[in-house]
Amino acid sequence: MHVYEYQQHDATGLAALTRRGEVSSKEVFDAAVNTIEALNPTLHGVVRTRFERANQERLSVAEHAPFAGVPTLSKDLLMALEGEPLAFGSAALSNWRPKEDSLLIKRVREAGLVVMGQTATPELGLMGITEPKAFPHPQNPWREGYSPGGSSGGSAVAVASGMVPIALAGDGGGSIRIPASYCGLFGFKPSRGRVPLTPAHGEVWQGAVVEHAITRSVRDSAALLEQINGMAPSGPYPVPRETDYVAALSSTNKPLRIAVSLGDFLSRSLGTQVSAEVTTAVEKAAHALAAMGHEVEWCDPPVEGDALADSYLTLYLGHLAADLHWVSQQTGVPVHRLAIEPSTRAIGRLGSQLSARDYELAKRYWHVAAEQMSHFHQRYDALVMPVAEDVAPKIGELYPTASRERFMSLLALPGVPSLALKAGMLKRLAVDALRRTPFTQLANLTGQPAMSVPFHVAANGLPVGVQVVGRLGEDKQLLQLAAAMEQHEDWQCRLCPQAFSV
């Protein structure tokens, strides 16, 4: 199988070719190896490969599995492969190896996917860019020198460049949707608890984190979710397994009432400036949905953006402080001696100063926002708004500068973290962390399903995604809408031009 032919197909298409006997799983495997080896030295989407083990696992794949023999990549964060490195994008965990597979990996293998390696992520998945100091920085396949976003940036690079047709990803504040938008792909974040994180984690970031994938097609996303969804025996969420995600895509899509917003309710205090290209993308989506027969209205949800940002970042700080303690336990290295980036250390120190009261008050606002969105969705089936304020930034544009890192090092001084919080450091962090992407955290806090749909290519040649947020638990309806949008716009013709250059 020639690499060019391999790159023409999504995961469902490759599996169909194999089932019909038109190609063998070995030919597909070899094409994936050749593509990764040709592209990754330049694009840096993959931090480590496991071709020999993957080839052995391929031999035991059930022929009837929906993705039998299709290559994929897992993210170097949370997704444990027994006895193999899992660094979380950090030098501090470079030698750490989990003792068992995550349930997600087990279900992915049962679906027939072959894990070829692991993709790049920022340290501990903390940023909306993927620029870890411990690994080379992934390049956006659409244009050299530009970021693929984060934290699932490596997965987006791998799919957009054609290394694999589908790559596993996770989303705790936009980490599937932001890279999908920046790289012209489909990125779906399922409802809270839909995909279990066990056995190592019951929940991550109080349930804000959900794992799934970045894909080229809606049908791949739906087919994978059909295989990996459903509660683990240990919980923590009683979300029973659902079927018929793929069948739902071909069902008649009844007219929906859809709200459209440029997201000012979330961004007005952060200095966010939604670009003309993003505005165009949202307007194009609104016109397309109206042309498809849906009732479209411009309307903002009644959510307080400032309170949402403060709530999100308070939990973010607290969980990072706890995560660093976990890293210390796993490695036997005291927190103050961990080989972590200055910004990670500084944010962890701020988090260590939070009180249980601060943490609980922040968490309670999640439920306030969820209730507000529940009332909003009594009128509207879905909400369309931006993913980010603009196209992908240049690499290095959003990473803390050297002077900023020196300032952060002052947080090591006794008493300074507490004073920094009292002096409004949380607000400064909100502006720094969320100004470019203040639109995605809402769905993580409320637990709603949300997706980035590739709907526009800017004048400078970079793609722009549009976010669509659905009603809590109604993942099928959102995927059904995505399939109709995909058919209406035929976005497969807008795949990264460099994807077929091997």
Side-chain angles (χ1 to χ4, degrees), residues 11-97:
T12 301
L14 283 174
L17 287 177
T18 304
R19 274 194 297 272
R20 293 197 298 265
E22 295 180 30
V23 297
S24 67
S25 66
K26 182 62 166 64
E27 288 176 296
V28 173
F29 179 88
D30 289 343
V33 171
N34 292 337
T35 309
I36 294 169
E37 289 183 336
L39 295 177
N40 199 58
T42 301
L43 296 178
H44 306 302
V46 182
V47 294
R48 65 186 68 87
T49 57
R50 54 188 305 276
F51 294 151
E52 186 173 340
R53 290 189 184 188
N55 191 37
Q56 290 301 311
E57 291 165 5
R58 176 188 64 81
L59 298 175
S60 62
V61 170
E63 292 183 5
H64 65 274
F67 290 113
V70 174
T72 190
L73 293 156
S74 61
K75 185 177 177 180
D76 186 33
L77 182 74
L78 298 176
M79 301 178 187
L81 295 159
E82 180 183 352
E84 300 184 39
L86 186 66
F88 288 60
S90 177
L93 286 165
S94 58
N95 295 316
W96 186 69
R97 286 166 169 75

Side-chain angles (χ1 to χ4, degrees), residues 32 46 57 77 81 162 170 181 197 235 260 265 282 285 302 323 350 372 385 400 415-416 435 446 451 467 472:
V46 182
E57 291 165 5
L77 182 74
L81 295 159
S181 176
L197 296 165
V260 182
F265 70 102
V282 172
D323 290 344
L350 289 174
Q372 290 168 335
M385 62 179 175
V416 172
R435 182 180 62 81
T446 61
M451 60 189 181
Q467 182 178 196
L472 179 64

